[in-house]
Amino acid sequence: MNNSDLADKLAASQGITKADARKYVDAVFAAIADAAAEGEEVSLNGFGKFKVKESAAREGRNPATGDTIQIAASKKLGFTAAKAVKDKLNG
């Protein structure tokens, strides 16, 4: 499922145009990305949490040459599903 599919389902279930539904879907994802960029945790009741995780700089290996390389510190967006979602997935 992609953004367009999600917007189509939203439009069908809420009786709105597909264009409006696409705007709403894009706005929700933009809000989540903006909050994550500011380091905030986004908690959606009954769905799950999006949380920014920081990974420290570390040493790694280039698999092609075996040389040691430095891997820069970075931030990653993690997701933890809520119990209701986990229960739905596991029947």
Side-chain angles (χ1 to χ4, degrees), residues 4-80:
S4 294
D5 297 336
L6 193 57
D8 290 345
K9 285 191 175 252
L10 179 64
S13 70
Q14 299 301 311
I16 58 177
T17 66
K18 288 182 181 182
D20 284 344
R22 181 60 191 245
K23 288 178 194 173
Y24 299 148
V25 168
D26 290 344
V28 167
F29 289 129
I32 291 171
D34 290 344
E38 294 174 6
E40 294 180 36
E41 181 179 289
V42 178
S43 180
L44 304 172
N45 289 338
F47 186 70
K49 289 182 186 179
F50 293 94
K51 188 175 181 181
V52 177
K53 298 177 183 180
E54 295 191 25
S55 64
R58 58 191 169 89
E59 239 180 41
R61 292 217 177 263
N62 179 339
T65 63
D67 293 341
T68 302
I69 58 172
Q70 283 296 95
I71 300 172
S74 64
K75 294 180 182 180
K76 297 172 177 42
L77 185 62
F79 176 74
T80 304

